[in-house]
Amino acid sequence: MTVIETQKDADALTLTFVAEFEAPRERVWQLWADPRQLERWWGPPGYPATFEKYDFEPGGEADYYMTTPEGEKPRGWWRMLAIDPPSRLEFEYGFSNDDGTKAPGDPARGIVTFEERDGVTRMTTLNRFPSAGEYAESMEMGMEEGMRQAMGQIDDLLAEVPS
């Protein structure tokens, strides 16, 4: 089923995705908790992610890059703020420089919630931006379409037997 709704709110500086999956909540949670599974869908098709560091605990950090079709490697980081398995994940995130250091600017915040009903898990991903400029830049960069495409890869992953 994947993304069933997208909500853009420039006044509130938020971009929200609501996706549904025919899988138990614990299974969908694993797609975030396990960096090897996360790598398989984080980033739109053709832009695979590689997580070089992934400390999945409150205060833990993640460093990753995506490889573009042209071979470029834009980098990003996360800092885990709250983890409540399998119902909620909250993290700050931003871009990184080529050397892996955090790029200047205030971080955005991601809040992911998981709710299960009758074998269907609803995953709501709220992105809150620190400023109108950051919100506008993310929209111009195609974040909405990129996240829709990235989340569109989850159904195939869920169909596989987890290792």
Side-chain angles (χ1 to χ4, degrees):
M1 287 182 236
T2 314
V3 177
I4 61 169
E5 182 181 351
T6 303
Q7 304 163 3
K8 293 189 287 188
D9 188 335
D11 293 331
L13 306 177
T14 60
L15 173 61
T16 304
F17 299 92
V18 179
E20 290 187 344
F21 305 101
E22 292 186 20
R25 180 169 68 161
E26 291 78 9
R27 177 67 182 105
V28 178
W29 172 264
Q30 282 302 310
L31 297 177
W32 290 87
D34 177 355
R36 302 297 76 92
Q37 291 183 57
L38 183 60
E39 287 175 335
R40 296 186 56 204
W41 71 269
W42 187 256
Y47 293 78
T50 301
F51 281 82
E52 298 175 304
K53 176 181 179 182
Y54 199 73
D55 296 327
F56 196 66
E57 59 185 42
E61 295 190 351
D63 294 315
Y64 71 95
Y65 62 87
M66 291 185 200
T67 304
T68 70
E70 298 77 29
E72 296 173 358
K73 295 185 177 183
R75 303 180 74 80
W77 63 269
W78 296 357
R79 187 170 65 85
M80 309 305 171
L81 300 174
I83 299 175
D84 182 17
S87 59
R88 189 171 186 279
L89 166 64
E90 184 172 351
F91 57 97
E92 291 181 326
Y93 64 92
F95 294 110
S96 296
N97 298 310
D98 289 341
D99 65 0
T101 59
K102 292 178 183 173
D106 293 329
R109 183 169 291 214
I111 301 169
V112 187
T113 57
F114 305 84
E115 301 171 276
E116 183 179 349
R117 182 177 300 153
D118 299 325
V120 174
T121 298
R122 177 172 281 202
M123 181 178 81
T124 302
T125 307
L126 169 72
N127 297 278
R128 179 165 287 127
F129 300 91
S131 68
E134 294 284 337
Y135 176 86
E137 182 180 353
S138 294
M139 296 306 108
E140 289 169 16
M141 288 175 55
M143 181 177 180
E144 179 182 4
E145 184 60 25
M147 285 297 296
R148 286 175 79 66
Q149 290 177 359
M151 289 181 184
Q153 301 172 107
I154 292 176
D155 282 323
D156 288 342
L157 213 60
L158 292 171
E160 297 175 5
V161 177
S163 53

